[in-house]
Amino acid sequence: MKLFSDEELAEILDQYIFHMISEAADRMGVECYVVGGYVRDIFLERPSNDIDVVVVGSGIAVAQELKRMLGKKAHLSVFKNFGTAQVKMGSEEVEFVGARKESYSHDSRKPIVENGTLEDDQNRRDFTINAMAICLNKNRFGELVDPFNGLADLEDGIIATPLEPGITFSDDPLRMMRCIRFATQLNFQIEDETFEALERMADRIKIVSGERIEVELNKIIMSPHPSKGFVDLQRCGLLNIILPELAALDIVEQKNGRAHKNNFYHTLEVLENVVAPHSAPVGATIADEVPSGAVGGASLWLRWAAILHDIGKTKSKRWEPSIGWTFHNHNYIGAKMVPEIFRRLKLPMGAEMKYVQKLVDLHMRPQVIADSEVTDSAVRRLLNDAGDDIDDLMTLCEADITSKNEVRKKMFLENFRMVREKLADLKEKDYKRLLQPVIDGNEIMEMFHLKPSREVGILKQYLKDAVLDNKVENEREPLMQLLLQKAREMGLVEVRSDE
């Protein structure tokens, strides 16, 4: 971050769009300020094209005047119900709103809005670092208005609220998620009184829609170091409300002197390992929207798979005296839990959910292979089941090796390297053609005059197993011999004369 004087701020804002806004406001005879994230990002030396402007008066009127001045090169959108307007010019977007003060009822996030002063408008902002304003009027152009010392908090790396945090969070409980999101993205600490309010007010998050929670949660997940956000969510009690299945993993049970690991912190380590290969510096970016592609080494949905990969361990945990703590079939149980979690959090129920569910279900398979001899048959079956998601599955499984036993960790990673080599060889040879028997179900039904039935399924699986286990080449003649042999064993003797 860098500190700037008012004169330096005026130089930074010495841009065509700001001078035009300044002239429009002065023509209308109203005070006008650029506020919020744009101001914050100036001091963080980060570019931003989204400009928020507060007018002490009618924001819509100033936007309309600006559009008139800019002519055809600008586009104006007016939202009268919200008292806002937007002017777009090229890559720049300017949001105008009149300064206002807000009051809330206990059971709603929708405020009662009244016209207000700049001070009223800054009072309603979520955090001190987002409550700074820079005047755009010509006679005060570049003057910083910072009543809550947001600049000092920005310099000290602190997230704090302008007003008493209990009031801020009670008025709009989504701000609790935003608090943790900003702390995670910027690698800031949450001020003590503010964190205490998070703990005290956590239950208020229940009045916020799943869609709004999902947006903030996904922004935390896409941060350079998302584990920081999940630790804060767990510490303040929010995680137990929004994702109790993950919060439940934060336990270590001991019996007869034997304890299992804390699977909550193991999960966060796996999440960081997934991100780590191309991780950006802490606080390097703040995304206003969840990126659709890969960021920091892993897509959003691969990160979700890391978060949920051990979610079934709470239900599967058993004590077996001869072995100790076990989590048999936790991958299968966890995969069954994924749809309900996605449904509750309003996450997409289509291909994204099925992808996460598949990775949770399969995440133990490469480990089982790597724990013994890496056979061609096992790798073929893995590739058949994982399909195009095999690379992401391997990334997840390698991230899941968090053992402190360096010898065992090295062995697993070396075996994973061998698995990857065999996978690469199969993919080079067009694995989809290699692994799908050339004789399909339709041909089997025609050959033996069968309708869709259990017998057809048995014969199809028999051929598929033979191909996956590399018992025969995936060619018609050897497969036909196997098929006829199996059909005779099953009593299916009615074969076409030409066979």
Side-chain angles (χ1 to χ4, degrees), residues 15-58:
Q15 302 172 41
Y16 176 74
I17 187 66
F18 289 114
H19 285 299
M20 294 301 285
I21 295 170
S22 175
E23 186 176 340
D26 285 344
R27 285 185 181 185
M28 303 295 293
V30 293
E31 294 177 35
C32 185
Y33 302 84
V34 59
V35 297
Y38 192 91
V39 177
R40 177 199 66 220
D41 287 347
I42 287 176
F43 293 101
L44 292 176
E45 297 184 279
R46 264 202 303 257
S48 176
N49 289 327
D50 297 327
I51 304 166
D52 290 324
V53 171
V54 165
V55 175
V56 184
S58 172

Side-chain angles (χ1 to χ4, degrees), residues 134-154:
I134 301 175
C135 188
L136 295 179
N137 295 98
K138 185 176 181 179
N139 62 340
R140 295 170 54 206
F141 193 82
E143 179 185 314
L144 178 67
V145 183
D146 182 19
F148 304 109
N149 295 315
L151 194 55
D153 286 346
L154 201 60

